[in-house]
Amino acid sequence: MILLLAGTKEGRELASSLVNAGIKVLASAATPYGGALLREIPGVVVKTGRLDAAGLERLLDKHRIKGIVDATHPFAEEITRLARQAAQSGGRPYLRWERPRTPLPESDLLYRVEDWNAVAEMISELQVRRLFLTIGINHLEFIAKHPLLAHCSFTARVAPLPGAVSACLQAGLKPQQIIALQYPGSRELNIALLKHFQAEALVTKESGSQGGVMEKVGAALNLEIPVVLVERPPGDAAISAVSDPEAVISWAKIVEGM
């Protein structure tokens, strides 16, 4: 059996492709919503809930997992780190699904940064106050409470899930500052939201087409609003990574036959 860490749409698509190819799949999702979507795929065994190192090891042993396919979000650094460590310590093959990058237009209003401290520094340099955040929830509180951004007001667009809304409230946002709306949405929708909330800058992540990065960035540039774009964490050149579903299937068949 293959463990598929499937916290994304691509993860669900890979689960379906692997099962259709005759491969036994245990798919893991961090949230109940993600688990419910996976359970719609016939033949997939589903595990729901966030995994720590011990929990991941128990899962691998219990289901006699032969290999791990990591199709988590490009910014889900912690589970990726744990999966690589577990694969290495257990002598199991590991394969990373690499979400294709989205080519973005060249613009003097597009500011690429490498980490979250750099986001705060860039916003401070731009001297803007009204920020529209489409960064998920993992770093929301860090940005909302950063000393360099104490003068700023925030609007956050997050997934329409109770946990996401709770994270916004915990970060100090008020209900009128929260947009709980399914991604990705069209460029026109993003333009309307940026206008309505009078955004002076957009902060987002390089999350690929599945995350709607082109629609979000394009909307802001259309309105001549600066964009602070957080680049993906650097990958490990020594780790096998693919962006082709057929390559994942071929890899899984080899692993299952070991």
Side-chain angles (χ1 to χ4, degrees), residues 31-88:
T31 66
Y33 177 66
L37 293 175
L38 284 168
R39 289 189 179 93
E40 295 177 0
I41 304 170
V44 177
V45 180
V46 179
K47 165 69 173 67
T48 301
R50 297 190 180 277
L51 293 168
D52 57 16
L56 180 56
E57 289 288 355
R58 287 194 298 270
L59 192 68
L60 294 172
D61 291 339
K62 177 181 177 181
H63 293 274
R64 299 180 181 179
I65 296 299
K66 291 188 174 182
I68 302 172
V69 178
D70 180 1
T72 55
H73 193 278
F75 285 83
E77 297 175 78
E78 179 64 11
I79 186 60
T80 289
R81 181 183 66 80
L82 292 176
R84 289 176 179 176
Q85 288 179 350
Q88 185 176 26

Side-chain angles (χ1 to χ4, degrees), residues 89-112:
S89 64
R92 296 178 177 90
Y94 169 95
L95 183 68
R96 172 66 182 171
W97 171 263
E98 188 70 33
R99 178 181 287 184
R101 294 178 182 271
T102 301
L104 296 175
E106 294 293 329
S107 173
D108 292 339
L109 292 174
L110 180 58
Y111 300 90
R112 297 175 181 268

Side-chain angles (χ1 to χ4, degrees), residues 1-4 18 21-26 60 63-70 87 90-96 240 242 246-258:
M1 180 173 275
I2 300 296
L3 173 62
L4 175 64
L18 287 166
I23 296 163
K24 295 180 180 179
V25 176
L26 170 63
L60 294 172
H63 293 274
R64 299 180 181 179
I65 296 299
K66 291 188 174 182
I68 302 172
V69 178
D70 180 1
R92 296 178 177 90
Y94 169 95
L95 183 68
R96 172 66 182 171
S240 296
V242 298
E246 290 301 322
V248 178
I249 293 171
S250 297
W251 177 91
K253 286 182 176 179
I254 293 170
V255 171
E256 271 209 330
M258 290 180 175

